[in-house]
Amino acid sequence: MSNDEAERRARSNGSSPVTDVTLADCIHLYQTEERMEGGNQVYCEECHGKQDMVKKYIFYHLPQILVISLKRFEMFGSRAQKLMTTVNFDCVLPVDAFKLPRGLDSGTKYRLFGVVNHLGQADGGHYTAMCSNLDNSRDPKWRQYNDEMVGQPMTQKSGQCPPCNSSTYMLFYERMPAGN
């Protein structure tokens, strides 16, 4: 997929709905090189002037807990707007979705154990969470947390993730033991 296609799929603001964005699309876009040129040049302390540069993000270490914050808010002129794209994610995230330097185990997988949702708009809203029990990773039971209220385990098929929707804001993954 081209960088333009990944960006188009990952950056819907609701005016032209995009329905097929995956977490892998977002990770790909996050790791895409960005040229900092012209008005975006970076000040160089050594040469005391602005210089062109390339900015990119690389994973040099795979953490035990991986927290992914989806870009849900963007400035349009002087107004912030909530991005309403649904990002599809799975309960298991293989790191082959990432661009990894040599030496990092590309067979590593992460298991989803928490989701934070933002309900509302850019100028206000409410946060809720869904979390699974960590003691039974083969058949996790998901609960909804909303202020003081803790919901009963959500009814869903065995091994099924919480629903993907346009309110999903943060995803919490735990590295799975090797061989899972």
Side-chain angles (χ1 to χ4, degrees):
M1 159 181 3
S2 73
N3 290 343
D4 290 341
E5 175 68 7
E7 185 163 6
R8 182 195 66 74
R9 290 175 67 181
R11 290 186 186 260
S12 168
N13 66 6
S15 60
S16 57
V18 176
T19 57
D20 59 346
V21 175
T22 66
L23 184 56
D25 292 334
C26 295
I27 292 168
H28 176 12
L29 182 61
Y30 178 74
Q31 290 189 283
T32 299
E33 289 185 0
E34 181 181 350
R35 298 207 51 82
M36 309 295 284
E37 302 171 320
N40 289 329
Q41 286 183 321
V42 176
Y43 183 78
C44 174
E45 303 243 345
E46 290 181 21
C47 62
H48 304 290
K50 290 192 172 192
Q51 298 290 321
D52 290 348
M53 71 168 248
V54 174
K55 176 176 81 171
K56 71 179 183 175
Y57 296 98
I58 299 172
F59 291 88
Y60 285 105
H61 171 73
L62 297 175
Q64 183 64 30
I65 303 295
L66 177 65
V67 180
I68 298 174
S69 177
L70 301 175
K71 183 176 180 179
R72 281 289 176 211
F73 307 101
E74 189 163 76
M75 293 301 292
F76 291 95
S78 62
R79 251 182 79 237
Q81 184 171 345
K82 184 173 179 182
L83 304 175
M84 300 300 292
T85 305
T86 296
V87 176
N88 296 301
F89 55 89
D90 293 316
C91 282
V92 175
L93 174 66
V95 296
D96 58 10
F98 305 101
K99 295 176 192 167
L100 296 173
R102 290 178 194 233
L104 284 184
D105 183 8
S106 61
T108 300
K109 295 179 183 176
Y110 284 88
R111 181 184 74 81
L112 184 72
F113 70 91
V115 177
V116 173
N117 294 305
H118 177 267
L119 309 169
Q121 298 301 316
D123 59 353
H126 181 71
Y127 292 93
T128 63
M130 293 178 283
C131 300
S132 75
N133 55 328
L134 289 174
D135 59 344
N136 189 357
S137 61
R138 296 235 184 260
D139 190 18
K141 303 289 186 226
W142 288 86
R143 291 183 185 266
Q144 176 80 35
Y145 295 85
N146 187 348
D147 293 335
E148 297 92 27
M149 294 176 37
V150 176
Q152 292 298 314
M154 298 164 59
T155 56
Q156 59 204 46
K157 295 177 186 170
S158 180
Q160 187 178 13
C161 284
C164 305
N165 59 52
S166 62
S167 297
T168 303
Y169 184 53
M170 296 181 78
L171 301 167
F172 294 80
Y173 285 91
E174 175 184 42
R175 187 168 30 180
M176 297 171 69
N180 282 345

PDB file of all heavy atoms in Angstrom, residues 135-172:
ATOM      1  N   ASP A 135      -5.830 -13.237  33.964  1.00  0.00           N
ATOM      2  CA  ASP A 135      -5.538 -14.574  34.461  1.00  0.00           C
ATOM      3  C   ASP A 135      -5.984 -15.675  33.519  1.00  0.00           C
ATOM      4  O   ASP A 135      -5.607 -16.824  33.674  1.00  0.00           O
ATOM      5  CB  ASP A 135      -6.146 -14.785  35.847  1.00  0.00           C
ATOM      6  CG  ASP A 135      -7.653 -14.599  35.861  1.00  0.00           C
ATOM      7  OD1 ASP A 135      -8.182 -14.022  34.911  1.00  0.00           O
ATOM      8  OD2 ASP A 135      -8.293 -15.029  36.836  1.00  0.00           O
ATOM      9  N   ASN A 136      -6.801 -15.361  32.532  1.00  0.00           N
ATOM     10  CA  ASN A 136      -7.269 -16.378  31.602  1.00  0.00           C
ATOM     11  C   ASN A 136      -7.131 -15.848  30.174  1.00  0.00           C
ATOM     12  O   ASN A 136      -8.100 -15.444  29.554  1.00  0.00           O
ATOM     13  CB  ASN A 136      -8.714 -16.772  31.894  1.00  0.00           C
ATOM     14  CG  ASN A 136      -9.152 -17.968  31.078  1.00  0.00           C
ATOM     15  OD1 ASN A 136      -8.401 -18.469  30.247  1.00  0.00           O
ATOM     16  ND2 ASN A 136     -10.360 -18.428  31.313  1.00  0.00           N
ATOM     17  N   SER A 137      -5.912 -15.860  29.669  1.00  0.00           N
ATOM     18  CA  SER A 137      -5.673 -15.261  28.359  1.00  0.00           C
ATOM     19  C   SER A 137      -6.272 -16.074  27.208  1.00  0.00           C
ATOM     20  O   SER A 137      -6.424 -15.571  26.121  1.00  0.00           O
ATOM     21  CB  SER A 137      -4.174 -15.063  28.133  1.00  0.00           C
ATOM     22  OG  SER A 137      -3.513 -16.307  28.173  1.00  0.00           O
ATOM     23  N   ARG A 138      -6.622 -17.332  27.433  1.00  0.00           N
ATOM     24  CA  ARG A 138      -7.215 -18.141  26.362  1.00  0.00           C
ATOM     25  C   ARG A 138      -8.679 -17.757  26.127  1.00  0.00           C
ATOM     26  O   ARG A 138      -9.175 -17.861  25.029  1.00  0.00           O
ATOM     27  CB  ARG A 138      -7.117 -19.622  26.700  1.00  0.00           C
ATOM     28  CG  ARG A 138      -5.696 -20.102  26.791  1.00  0.00           C
ATOM     29  CD  ARG A 138      -5.477 -21.281  25.868  1.00  0.00           C
ATOM     30  NE  ARG A 138      -4.139 -21.797  26.025  1.00  0.00           N
ATOM     31  CZ  ARG A 138      -3.144 -21.523  25.199  1.00  0.00           C
ATOM     32  NH1 ARG A 138      -3.337 -20.751  24.178  1.00  0.00           N
ATOM     33  NH2 ARG A 138      -1.962 -22.030  25.392  1.00  0.00           N
ATOM     34  N   ASP A 139      -9.383 -17.349  27.175  1.00  0.00           N
ATOM     35  CA  ASP A 139     -10.793 -16.979  27.042  1.00  0.00           C
ATOM     36  C   ASP A 139     -11.080 -15.778  27.954  1.00  0.00           C
ATOM     37  O   ASP A 139     -11.727 -15.915  28.987  1.00  0.00           O
ATOM     38  CB  ASP A 139     -11.702 -18.156  27.409  1.00  0.00           C
ATOM     39  CG  ASP A 139     -13.154 -17.870  27.045  1.00  0.00           C
ATOM     40  OD1 ASP A 139     -13.401 -16.964  26.226  1.00  0.00           O
ATOM     41  OD2 ASP A 139     -14.028 -18.550  27.595  1.00  0.00           O
ATOM     42  N   PRO A 140     -10.543 -14.597  27.584  1.00  0.00           N
ATOM     43  CA  PRO A 140     -10.700 -13.435  28.469  1.00  0.00           C
ATOM     44  C   PRO A 140     -12.154 -12.980  28.576  1.00  0.00           C
ATOM     45  O   PRO A 140     -12.918 -13.075  27.624  1.00  0.00           O
ATOM     46  CB  PRO A 140      -9.836 -12.365  27.809  1.00  0.00           C
ATOM     47  CG  PRO A 140      -9.770 -12.759  26.381  1.00  0.00           C
ATOM     48  CD  PRO A 140      -9.859 -14.262  26.349  1.00  0.00           C
ATOM     49  N   LYS A 141     -12.521 -12.528  29.744  1.00  0.00           N
ATOM     50  CA  LYS A 141     -13.843 -11.946  29.986  1.00  0.00           C
ATOM     51  C   LYS A 141     -13.661 -10.426  30.042  1.00  0.00           C
ATOM     52  O   LYS A 141     -12.877  -9.917  30.828  1.00  0.00           O
ATOM     53  CB  LYS A 141     -14.428 -12.439  31.317  1.00  0.00           C
ATOM     54  CG  LYS A 141     -14.549 -13.938  31.420  1.00  0.00           C
ATOM     55  CD  LYS A 141     -15.638 -14.461  30.521  1.00  0.00           C
ATOM     56  CE  LYS A 141     -15.838 -15.945  30.739  1.00  0.00           C
ATOM     57  NZ  LYS A 141     -15.923 -16.700  29.537  1.00  0.00           N
ATOM     58  N   TRP A 142     -14.406  -9.729  29.209  1.00  0.00           N
ATOM     59  CA  TRP A 142     -14.294  -8.278  29.122  1.00  0.00           C
ATOM     60  C   TRP A 142     -15.370  -7.618  29.971  1.00  0.00           C
ATOM     61  O   TRP A 142     -16.516  -8.038  29.964  1.00  0.00           O
ATOM     62  CB  TRP A 142     -14.443  -7.829  27.663  1.00  0.00           C
ATOM     63  CG  TRP A 142     -13.239  -8.189  26.848  1.00  0.00           C
ATOM     64  CD1 TRP A 142     -13.009  -9.372  26.211  1.00  0.00           C
ATOM     65  CD2 TRP A 142     -12.102  -7.381  26.609  1.00  0.00           C
ATOM     66  NE1 TRP A 142     -11.791  -9.341  25.582  1.00  0.00           N
ATOM     67  CE2 TRP A 142     -11.214  -8.135  25.810  1.00  0.00           C
ATOM     68  CE3 TRP A 142     -11.736  -6.093  26.994  1.00  0.00           C
ATOM     69  CZ2 TRP A 142      -9.988  -7.636  25.385  1.00  0.00           C
ATOM     70  CZ3 TRP A 142     -10.525  -5.596  26.563  1.00  0.00           C
ATOM     71  CH2 TRP A 142      -9.666  -6.368  25.766  1.00  0.00           C
ATOM     72  N   ARG A 143     -14.981  -6.545  30.681  1.00  0.00           N
ATOM     73  CA  ARG A 143     -15.921  -5.758  31.481  1.00  0.00           C
ATOM     74  C   ARG A 143     -15.845  -4.304  31.039  1.00  0.00           C
ATOM     75  O   ARG A 143     -14.796  -3.812  30.651  1.00  0.00           O
ATOM     76  CB  ARG A 143     -15.596  -5.830  32.964  1.00  0.00           C
ATOM     77  CG  ARG A 143     -15.846  -7.177  33.586  1.00  0.00           C
ATOM     78  CD  ARG A 143     -15.549  -7.115  35.091  1.00  0.00           C
ATOM     79  NE  ARG A 143     -15.659  -8.416  35.689  1.00  0.00           N
ATOM     80  CZ  ARG A 143     -16.760  -8.875  36.271  1.00  0.00           C
ATOM     81  NH1 ARG A 143     -17.827  -8.123  36.331  1.00  0.00           N
ATOM     82  NH2 ARG A 143     -16.785 -10.074  36.803  1.00  0.00           N
ATOM     83  N   GLN A 144     -16.964  -3.618  31.139  1.00  0.00           N
ATOM     84  CA  GLN A 144     -17.061  -2.192  30.824  1.00  0.00           C
ATOM     85  C   GLN A 144     -16.900  -1.407  32.129  1.00  0.00           C
ATOM     86  O   GLN A 144     -17.517  -1.744  33.129  1.00  0.00           O
ATOM     87  CB  GLN A 144     -18.440  -1.898  30.215  1.00  0.00           C
ATOM     88  CG  GLN A 144     -18.693  -0.447  29.925  1.00  0.00           C
ATOM     89  CD  GLN A 144     -18.043   0.015  28.630  1.00  0.00           C
ATOM     90  OE1 GLN A 144     -17.960  -0.721  27.668  1.00  0.00           O
ATOM     91  NE2 GLN A 144     -17.578   1.236  28.605  1.00  0.00           N
ATOM     92  N   TYR A 145     -16.041  -0.378  32.120  1.00  0.00           N
ATOM     93  CA  TYR A 145     -15.825   0.493  33.279  1.00  0.00           C
ATOM     94  C   TYR A 145     -16.259   1.902  32.889  1.00  0.00           C
ATOM     95  O   TYR A 145     -15.788   2.454  31.903  1.00  0.00           O
ATOM     96  CB  TYR A 145     -14.356   0.489  33.692  1.00  0.00           C
ATOM     97  CG  TYR A 145     -13.897  -0.871  34.177  1.00  0.00           C
ATOM     98  CD1 TYR A 145     -13.457  -1.847  33.290  1.00  0.00           C
ATOM     99  CD2 TYR A 145     -13.917  -1.177  35.530  1.00  0.00           C
ATOM    100  CE1 TYR A 145     -13.048  -3.093  33.728  1.00  0.00           C
ATOM    101  CE2 TYR A 145     -13.503  -2.425  35.993  1.00  0.00           C
ATOM    102  CZ  TYR A 145     -13.075  -3.370  35.077  1.00  0.00           C
ATOM    103  OH  TYR A 145     -12.676  -4.598  35.524  1.00  0.00           O
ATOM    104  N   ASN A 146     -17.155   2.480  33.683  1.00  0.00           N
ATOM    105  CA  ASN A 146     -17.704   3.804  33.405  1.00  0.00           C
ATOM    106  C   ASN A 146     -17.883   4.514  34.736  1.00  0.00           C
ATOM    107  O   ASN A 146     -18.863   4.285  35.444  1.00  0.00           O
ATOM    108  CB  ASN A 146     -19.037   3.667  32.664  1.00  0.00           C
ATOM    109  CG  ASN A 146     -19.569   4.994  32.188  1.00  0.00           C
ATOM    110  OD1 ASN A 146     -19.080   6.050  32.587  1.00  0.00           O
ATOM    111  ND2 ASN A 146     -20.577   4.950  31.349  1.00  0.00           N
ATOM    112  N   ASP A 147     -16.929   5.346  35.098  1.00  0.00           N
ATOM    113  CA  ASP A 147     -16.896   6.011  36.399  1.00  0.00           C
ATOM    114  C   ASP A 147     -16.981   4.963  37.507  1.00  0.00           C
ATOM    115  O   ASP A 147     -16.153   4.070  37.551  1.00  0.00           O
ATOM    116  CB  ASP A 147     -17.990   7.072  36.520  1.00  0.00           C
ATOM    117  CG  ASP A 147     -17.742   8.244  35.562  1.00  0.00           C
ATOM    118  OD1 ASP A 147     -16.567   8.465  35.198  1.00  0.00           O
ATOM    119  OD2 ASP A 147     -18.695   8.911  35.169  1.00  0.00           O
ATOM    120  N   GLU A 148     -17.977   5.051  38.390  1.00  0.00           N
ATOM    121  CA  GLU A 148     -18.075   4.102  39.500  1.00  0.00           C
ATOM    122  C   GLU A 148     -18.727   2.782  39.085  1.00  0.00           C
ATOM    123  O   GLU A 148     -18.780   1.843  39.869  1.00  0.00           O
ATOM    124  CB  GLU A 148     -18.889   4.684  40.667  1.00  0.00           C
ATOM    125  CG  GLU A 148     -18.267   5.913  41.306  1.00  0.00           C
ATOM    126  CD  GLU A 148     -18.787   7.198  40.679  1.00  0.00           C
ATOM    127  OE1 GLU A 148     -19.921   7.215  40.162  1.00  0.00           O
ATOM    128  OE2 GLU A 148     -18.033   8.184  40.697  1.00  0.00           O
ATOM    129  N   MET A 149     -19.258   2.707  37.885  1.00  0.00           N
ATOM    130  CA  MET A 149     -19.976   1.510  37.448  1.00  0.00           C
ATOM    131  C   MET A 149     -19.030   0.523  36.756  1.00  0.00           C
ATOM    132  O   MET A 149     -18.261   0.901  35.882  1.00  0.00           O
ATOM    133  CB  MET A 149     -21.104   1.886  36.486  1.00  0.00           C
ATOM    134  CG  MET A 149     -22.204   2.695  37.132  1.00  0.00           C
ATOM    135  SD  MET A 149     -23.487   3.247  35.964  1.00  0.00           S
ATOM    136  CE  MET A 149     -23.654   1.890  34.847  1.00  0.00           C
ATOM    137  N   VAL A 150     -19.123  -0.731  37.198  1.00  0.00           N
ATOM    138  CA  VAL A 150     -18.386  -1.808  36.550  1.00  0.00           C
ATOM    139  C   VAL A 150     -19.423  -2.780  36.035  1.00  0.00           C
ATOM    140  O   VAL A 150     -20.227  -3.310  36.805  1.00  0.00           O
ATOM    141  CB  VAL A 150     -17.429  -2.522  37.523  1.00  0.00           C
ATOM    142  CG1 VAL A 150     -16.742  -3.702  36.834  1.00  0.00           C
ATOM    143  CG2 VAL A 150     -16.405  -1.548  38.076  1.00  0.00           C
ATOM    144  N   GLY A 151     -19.419  -2.988  34.744  1.00  0.00           N
ATOM    145  CA  GLY A 151     -20.413  -3.857  34.134  1.00  0.00           C
ATOM    146  C   GLY A 151     -20.098  -5.322  34.311  1.00  0.00           C
ATOM    147  O   GLY A 151     -18.962  -5.714  34.586  1.00  0.00           O
ATOM    148  N   GLN A 152     -21.109  -6.134  34.139  1.00  0.00           N
ATOM    149  CA  GLN A 152     -20.933  -7.582  34.129  1.00  0.00           C
ATOM    150  C   GLN A 152     -20.087  -7.950  32.919  1.00  0.00           C
ATOM    151  O   GLN A 152     -19.987  -7.182  31.962  1.00  0.00           O
ATOM    152  CB  GLN A 152     -22.308  -8.261  34.060  1.00  0.00           C
ATOM    153  CG  GLN A 152     -23.139  -8.080  35.315  1.00  0.00           C
ATOM    154  CD  GLN A 152     -22.457  -8.698  36.523  1.00  0.00           C
ATOM    155  OE1 GLN A 152     -21.970  -9.809  36.466  1.00  0.00           O
ATOM    156  NE2 GLN A 152     -22.402  -7.950  37.605  1.00  0.00           N
ATOM    157  N   PRO A 153     -19.481  -9.144  32.957  1.00  0.00           N
ATOM    158  CA  PRO A 153     -18.706  -9.542  31.774  1.00  0.00           C
ATOM    159  C   PRO A 153     -19.555  -9.418  30.508  1.00  0.00           C
ATOM    160  O   PRO A 153     -20.728  -9.768  30.505  1.00  0.00           O
ATOM    161  CB  PRO A 153     -18.360 -11.007  32.060  1.00  0.00           C
ATOM    162  CG  PRO A 153     -18.380 -11.106  33.548  1.00  0.00           C
ATOM    163  CD  PRO A 153     -19.459 -10.150  34.005  1.00  0.00           C
ATOM    164  N   MET A 154     -18.944  -8.853  29.466  1.00  0.00           N
ATOM    165  CA  MET A 154     -19.651  -8.649  28.203  1.00  0.00           C
ATOM    166  C   MET A 154     -19.878  -9.999  27.533  1.00  0.00           C
ATOM    167  O   MET A 154     -19.003 -10.865  27.562  1.00  0.00           O
ATOM    168  CB  MET A 154     -18.823  -7.727  27.296  1.00  0.00           C
ATOM    169  CG  MET A 154     -18.624  -6.346  27.886  1.00  0.00           C
ATOM    170  SD  MET A 154     -17.304  -5.385  27.097  1.00  0.00           S
ATOM    171  CE  MET A 154     -17.842  -5.308  25.428  1.00  0.00           C
ATOM    172  N   THR A 155     -21.052 -10.187  26.966  1.00  0.00           N
ATOM    173  CA  THR A 155     -21.324 -11.443  26.258  1.00  0.00           C
ATOM    174  C   THR A 155     -20.763 -11.349  24.856  1.00  0.00           C
ATOM    175  O   THR A 155     -21.064 -10.428  24.106  1.00  0.00           O
ATOM    176  CB  THR A 155     -22.843 -11.722  26.206  1.00  0.00           C
ATOM    177  OG1 THR A 155     -23.488 -10.605  25.613  1.00  0.00           O
ATOM    178  CG2 THR A 155     -23.405 -11.956  27.592  1.00  0.00           C
ATOM    179  N   GLN A 156     -19.894 -12.273  24.548  1.00  0.00           N
ATOM    180  CA  GLN A 156     -19.281 -12.325  23.238  1.00  0.00           C
ATOM    181  C   GLN A 156     -18.752 -13.734  23.020  1.00  0.00           C
ATOM    182  O   GLN A 156     -18.640 -14.512  23.961  1.00  0.00           O
ATOM    183  CB  GLN A 156     -18.154 -11.303  23.122  1.00  0.00           C
ATOM    184  CG  GLN A 156     -17.065 -11.512  24.157  1.00  0.00           C
ATOM    185  CD  GLN A 156     -16.290 -10.245  24.431  1.00  0.00           C
ATOM    186  OE1 GLN A 156     -16.884  -9.202  24.598  1.00  0.00           O
ATOM    187  NE2 GLN A 156     -15.000 -10.349  24.487  1.00  0.00           N
ATOM    188  N   LYS A 157     -18.430 -14.025  21.796  1.00  0.00           N
ATOM    189  CA  LYS A 157     -17.881 -15.338  21.473  1.00  0.00           C
ATOM    190  C   LYS A 157     -16.525 -15.498  22.129  1.00  0.00           C
ATOM    191  O   LYS A 157     -15.810 -14.518  22.351  1.00  0.00           O
ATOM    192  CB  LYS A 157     -17.747 -15.494  19.962  1.00  0.00           C
ATOM    193  CG  LYS A 157     -19.067 -15.502  19.227  1.00  0.00           C
ATOM    194  CD  LYS A 157     -18.835 -15.597  17.735  1.00  0.00           C
ATOM    195  CE  LYS A 157     -20.149 -15.465  16.990  1.00  0.00           C
ATOM    196  NZ  LYS A 157     -19.957 -15.322  15.557  1.00  0.00           N
ATOM    197  N   SER A 158     -16.156 -16.718  22.400  1.00  0.00           N
ATOM    198  CA  SER A 158     -14.870 -17.020  23.007  1.00  0.00           C
ATOM    199  C   SER A 158     -13.738 -16.421  22.180  1.00  0.00           C
ATOM    200  O   SER A 158     -13.695 -16.583  20.971  1.00  0.00           O
ATOM    201  CB  SER A 158     -14.696 -18.527  23.125  1.00  0.00           C
ATOM    202  OG  SER A 158     -13.456 -18.826  23.700  1.00  0.00           O
ATOM    203  N   GLY A 159     -12.818 -15.711  22.842  1.00  0.00           N
ATOM    204  CA  GLY A 159     -11.669 -15.119  22.177  1.00  0.00           C
ATOM    205  C   GLY A 159     -11.951 -13.861  21.382  1.00  0.00           C
ATOM    206  O   GLY A 159     -11.076 -13.333  20.739  1.00  0.00           O
ATOM    207  N   GLN A 160     -13.175 -13.363  21.422  1.00  0.00           N
ATOM    208  CA  GLN A 160     -13.555 -12.189  20.643  1.00  0.00           C
ATOM    209  C   GLN A 160     -13.142 -10.912  21.370  1.00  0.00           C
ATOM    210  O   GLN A 160     -13.239 -10.809  22.577  1.00  0.00           O
ATOM    211  CB  GLN A 160     -15.056 -12.187  20.399  1.00  0.00           C
ATOM    212  CG  GLN A 160     -15.525 -11.098  19.473  1.00  0.00           C
ATOM    213  CD  GLN A 160     -17.022 -11.183  19.218  1.00  0.00           C
ATOM    214  OE1 GLN A 160     -17.741 -11.900  19.903  1.00  0.00           O
ATOM    215  NE2 GLN A 160     -17.474 -10.448  18.235  1.00  0.00           N
ATOM    216  N   CYS A 161     -12.710  -9.933  20.600  1.00  0.00           N
ATOM    217  CA  CYS A 161     -12.322  -8.627  21.141  1.00  0.00           C
ATOM    218  C   CYS A 161     -13.554  -7.777  21.398  1.00  0.00           C
ATOM    219  O   CYS A 161     -14.617  -8.037  20.854  1.00  0.00           O
ATOM    220  CB  CYS A 161     -11.474  -7.871  20.122  1.00  0.00           C
ATOM    221  SG  CYS A 161      -9.809  -8.456  19.989  1.00  0.00           S
ATOM    222  N   PRO A 162     -13.375  -6.704  22.180  1.00  0.00           N
ATOM    223  CA  PRO A 162     -14.458  -5.722  22.279  1.00  0.00           C
ATOM    224  C   PRO A 162     -14.692  -5.111  20.900  1.00  0.00           C
ATOM    225  O   PRO A 162     -13.816  -5.170  20.034  1.00  0.00           O
ATOM    226  CB  PRO A 162     -13.941  -4.676  23.253  1.00  0.00           C
ATOM    227  CG  PRO A 162     -12.586  -5.064  23.644  1.00  0.00           C
ATOM    228  CD  PRO A 162     -12.213  -6.327  22.945  1.00  0.00           C
ATOM    229  N   PRO A 163     -15.850  -4.505  20.690  1.00  0.00           N
ATOM    230  CA  PRO A 163     -16.148  -3.966  19.360  1.00  0.00           C
ATOM    231  C   PRO A 163     -15.232  -2.803  18.986  1.00  0.00           C
ATOM    232  O   PRO A 163     -14.859  -1.990  19.821  1.00  0.00           O
ATOM    233  CB  PRO A 163     -17.595  -3.505  19.482  1.00  0.00           C
ATOM    234  CG  PRO A 163     -17.845  -3.357  20.937  1.00  0.00           C
ATOM    235  CD  PRO A 163     -16.932  -4.307  21.644  1.00  0.00           C
ATOM    236  N   CYS A 164     -14.874  -2.750  17.706  1.00  0.00           N
ATOM    237  CA  CYS A 164     -14.124  -1.623  17.150  1.00  0.00           C
ATOM    238  C   CYS A 164     -15.146  -0.557  16.776  1.00  0.00           C
ATOM    239  O   CYS A 164     -16.158  -0.869  16.162  1.00  0.00           O
ATOM    240  CB  CYS A 164     -13.379  -2.042  15.884  1.00  0.00           C
ATOM    241  SG  CYS A 164     -12.296  -3.457  16.064  1.00  0.00           S
ATOM    242  N   ASN A 165     -14.885   0.693  17.164  1.00  0.00           N
ATOM    243  CA  ASN A 165     -15.782   1.764  16.756  1.00  0.00           C
ATOM    244  C   ASN A 165     -15.031   3.083  16.722  1.00  0.00           C
ATOM    245  O   ASN A 165     -13.845   3.139  17.038  1.00  0.00           O
ATOM    246  CB  ASN A 165     -17.025   1.828  17.662  1.00  0.00           C
ATOM    247  CG  ASN A 165     -16.675   2.062  19.103  1.00  0.00           C
ATOM    248  OD1 ASN A 165     -15.947   2.989  19.421  1.00  0.00           O
ATOM    249  ND2 ASN A 165     -17.182   1.214  19.989  1.00  0.00           N
ATOM    250  N   SER A 166     -15.721   4.145  16.370  1.00  0.00           N
ATOM    251  CA  SER A 166     -15.066   5.454  16.214  1.00  0.00           C
ATOM    252  C   SER A 166     -14.750   6.115  17.552  1.00  0.00           C
ATOM    253  O   SER A 166     -14.149   7.179  17.567  1.00  0.00           O
ATOM    254  CB  SER A 166     -15.943   6.375  15.370  1.00  0.00           C
ATOM    255  OG  SER A 166     -17.178   6.602  16.009  1.00  0.00           O
ATOM    256  N   SER A 167     -15.117   5.504  18.663  1.00  0.00           N
ATOM    257  CA  SER A 167     -14.797   6.043  19.983  1.00  0.00           C
ATOM    258  C   SER A 167     -13.494   5.488  20.546  1.00  0.00           C
ATOM    259  O   SER A 167     -12.977   6.011  21.529  1.00  0.00           O
ATOM    260  CB  SER A 167     -15.931   5.735  20.974  1.00  0.00           C
ATOM    261  OG  SER A 167     -17.113   6.354  20.567  1.00  0.00           O
ATOM    262  N   THR A 168     -12.961   4.427  19.948  1.00  0.00           N
ATOM    263  CA  THR A 168     -11.732   3.821  20.467  1.00  0.00           C
ATOM    264  C   THR A 168     -10.602   4.842  20.426  1.00  0.00           C
ATOM    265  O   THR A 168     -10.331   5.450  19.393  1.00  0.00           O
ATOM    266  CB  THR A 168     -11.356   2.578  19.635  1.00  0.00           C
ATOM    267  OG1 THR A 168     -12.447   1.667  19.659  1.00  0.00           O
ATOM    268  CG2 THR A 168     -10.117   1.909  20.191  1.00  0.00           C
ATOM    269  N   TYR A 169      -9.944   5.027  21.585  1.00  0.00           N
ATOM    270  CA  TYR A 169      -8.919   6.057  21.728  1.00  0.00           C
ATOM    271  C   TYR A 169      -7.551   5.469  22.068  1.00  0.00           C
ATOM    272  O   TYR A 169      -6.543   5.912  21.559  1.00  0.00           O
ATOM    273  CB  TYR A 169      -9.371   7.048  22.795  1.00  0.00           C
ATOM    274  CG  TYR A 169      -8.469   8.232  23.006  1.00  0.00           C
ATOM    275  CD1 TYR A 169      -8.077   9.037  21.948  1.00  0.00           C
ATOM    276  CD2 TYR A 169      -8.020   8.564  24.272  1.00  0.00           C
ATOM    277  CE1 TYR A 169      -7.251  10.122  22.143  1.00  0.00           C
ATOM    278  CE2 TYR A 169      -7.200   9.656  24.479  1.00  0.00           C
ATOM    279  CZ  TYR A 169      -6.809  10.422  23.417  1.00  0.00           C
ATOM    280  OH  TYR A 169      -5.994  11.499  23.605  1.00  0.00           O
ATOM    281  N   MET A 170      -7.520   4.484  22.959  1.00  0.00           N
ATOM    282  CA  MET A 170      -6.253   3.868  23.352  1.00  0.00           C
ATOM    283  C   MET A 170      -6.418   2.355  23.426  1.00  0.00           C
ATOM    284  O   MET A 170      -7.471   1.860  23.814  1.00  0.00           O
ATOM    285  CB  MET A 170      -5.780   4.396  24.709  1.00  0.00           C
ATOM    286  CG  MET A 170      -5.466   5.870  24.710  1.00  0.00           C
ATOM    287  SD  MET A 170      -4.896   6.446  26.318  1.00  0.00           S
ATOM    288  CE  MET A 170      -3.210   5.859  26.296  1.00  0.00           C
ATOM    289  N   LEU A 171      -5.345   1.646  23.072  1.00  0.00           N
ATOM    290  CA  LEU A 171      -5.326   0.187  23.112  1.00  0.00           C
ATOM    291  C   LEU A 171      -4.147  -0.253  23.980  1.00  0.00           C
ATOM    292  O   LEU A 171      -3.044   0.287  23.851  1.00  0.00           O
ATOM    293  CB  LEU A 171      -5.169  -0.390  21.703  1.00  0.00           C
ATOM    294  CG  LEU A 171      -6.252   0.003  20.702  1.00  0.00           C
ATOM    295  CD1 LEU A 171      -5.836  -0.361  19.283  1.00  0.00           C
ATOM    296  CD2 LEU A 171      -7.565  -0.655  21.069  1.00  0.00           C
ATOM    297  N   PHE A 172      -4.376  -1.231  24.839  1.00  0.00           N
ATOM    298  CA  PHE A 172      -3.349  -1.742  25.744  1.00  0.00           C
ATOM    299  C   PHE A 172      -3.104  -3.211  25.420  1.00  0.00           C
ATOM    300  O   PHE A 172      -4.021  -4.034  25.500  1.00  0.00           O
ATOM    301  CB  PHE A 172      -3.792  -1.594  27.202  1.00  0.00           C
ATOM    302  CG  PHE A 172      -3.924  -0.169  27.637  1.00  0.00           C
ATOM    303  CD1 PHE A 172      -5.059   0.558  27.316  1.00  0.00           C
ATOM    304  CD2 PHE A 172      -2.911   0.451  28.345  1.00  0.00           C
ATOM    305  CE1 PHE A 172      -5.194   1.893  27.709  1.00  0.00           C
ATOM    306  CE2 PHE A 172      -3.028   1.777  28.729  1.00  0.00           C
ATOM    307  CZ  PHE A 172      -4.173   2.500  28.414  1.00  0.00           C
TER     308      PHE A 172
END
